[in-house]
Amino acid sequence: MLDATTRSGGTATASPRATVTELALATDFVTPITAPAGFTARCSRVLLSPWSRLSLLVALLAGAASTVLLFEPQRLLADGWPPQLGGAAAALVFAVAYGLCTVAFVPRPLLNLAAGALFGSQFGIASALAGTVLGAGISFGLGRVLGQDALRPLLRGRWLKAADGQLSRHGFRSMLAARLFPGVPFWAANYCAAVSRMGYVPFLVATGLGSIPNTAAYVVAGARASTPTSPAFLIAMACIALPALVGAAIAWRKRHQLRGVR
């Protein structure tokens, strides 16, 4: 029997039951698209795993070292600093470049000599110390975020455990001694501290304070290299040689203890 709308010649409307039936039939032909949640989670775990982060750290350091070899920053000593930069701005730019170069394993003595030759004693010391702390902070941060979780399980030897315990329990004074007396490479001390439980602030403070004597000596030597017989140059060379002799003497006295650790 026709409803009132059909009899009056209007457009017929579907009943609610027919609408539900048509929607049910339409959804039978639609295939739901779902994201592969399990695959995404596995990929995230792999990318964020300790060994993946360590591989990223190695790749970053290799890229930084290659960049330094390509651009040859030591040419600044021969060609001079760009004339567009001068004064405090030039020292600030040099400090940033100094820090990045230390991350790329450029020896700090060369950078300190360059700071003295380019900017003199005052600006050179300030720029070199700022670059030292900056480079140490970058290396420590990279090692702590990308390398600590992968490397800490490998600390199984007695030497490694002893060094880790010393840095974790007595981080400030241990790092201060490592910076004052030469013998431990700058980059090695940075990454050893990053793998340990040493705090970030004690590491930076010890690095800044412990690097003052050695950095100042090299910068003054670079600034007075043109007058090698001047008292300032001779005193700077003595300040460079004295910590090396003290460190060698301490290592000689501790040789039997070091041999006993296997």
Side-chain angles (χ1 to χ4, degrees):
M1 185 175 182
L2 297 178
D3 57 6
T5 306
T6 304
R7 287 195 302 267
S8 62
T11 304
T13 57
S15 63
R17 182 177 301 176
T19 303
V20 173
T21 305
E22 291 175 358
L23 291 176
L25 292 174
T27 55
D28 290 340
F29 298 97
V30 178
T31 303
I33 301 175
T34 58
F39 177 76
T40 304
R42 286 194 297 269
C43 290
S44 300
R45 285 196 297 268
V46 170
L47 293 176
L48 297 177
S49 65
W51 287 105
S52 295
R53 284 181 284 157
L54 180 62
S55 300
L56 177 59
L57 175 61
V58 173
L60 289 175
L61 296 180
S66 301
T67 302
V68 168
L69 293 176
L70 180 63
F71 285 96
E72 299 179 355
Q74 65 272 15
R75 290 183 300 177
L76 288 175
L77 293 178
D79 302 338
W81 191 255
Q84 295 82 4
L85 292 175
L92 179 61
V93 173
F94 182 85
V96 175
Y98 185 115
L100 296 177
C101 286
T102 58
V103 177
F105 309 110
V106 177
R108 284 184 61 247
L110 295 179
L111 296 172
N112 293 331
L113 291 173
L118 293 173
F119 305 107
S121 298
Q122 295 181 354
F123 276 118
I125 292 174
S127 180
L129 285 175
T132 297
V133 176
L134 175 63
I138 293 174
S139 299
F140 186 91
L142 290 174
R144 178 61 57 89
V145 174
L146 300 178
Q148 186 185 50
D149 293 340
L151 294 178
R152 280 200 66 82
L154 303 180
L155 301 177
R156 299 177 181 177
R158 292 182 61 184
W159 276 25
L160 295 177
K161 287 185 177 180
D164 175 65
Q166 184 71 18
L167 289 172
S168 299
R169 292 190 299 270
H170 312 290
F172 178 82
R173 69 184 187 188
S174 299
M175 187 54 55
L176 185 65
R179 301 306 191 191
L180 285 172
F181 301 106
V184 180
F186 183 73
W187 61 269
N190 294 338
Y191 291 110
C192 286
V195 174
S196 71
R197 303 296 187 187
M198 184 178 182
Y200 194 77
V201 174
F203 170 80
L204 292 180
V205 175
T207 296
L209 294 178
S211 300
I212 291 176
N214 187 265
T215 301
Y218 274 101
V219 171
V220 172
R224 301 302 178 91
S226 58
T227 56
T229 58
S230 63
F233 182 83
L234 296 177
I235 292 174
M237 295 303 297
C239 293
I240 293 173
L242 183 61
L245 293 176
V246 173
I250 294 175
W252 177 261
R253 291 186 59 183
K254 297 292 184 179
R255 67 189 186 281
H256 299 296
Q257 181 179 352
L258 294 174
R259 289 176 182 175
V261 178
R262 297 183 183 274

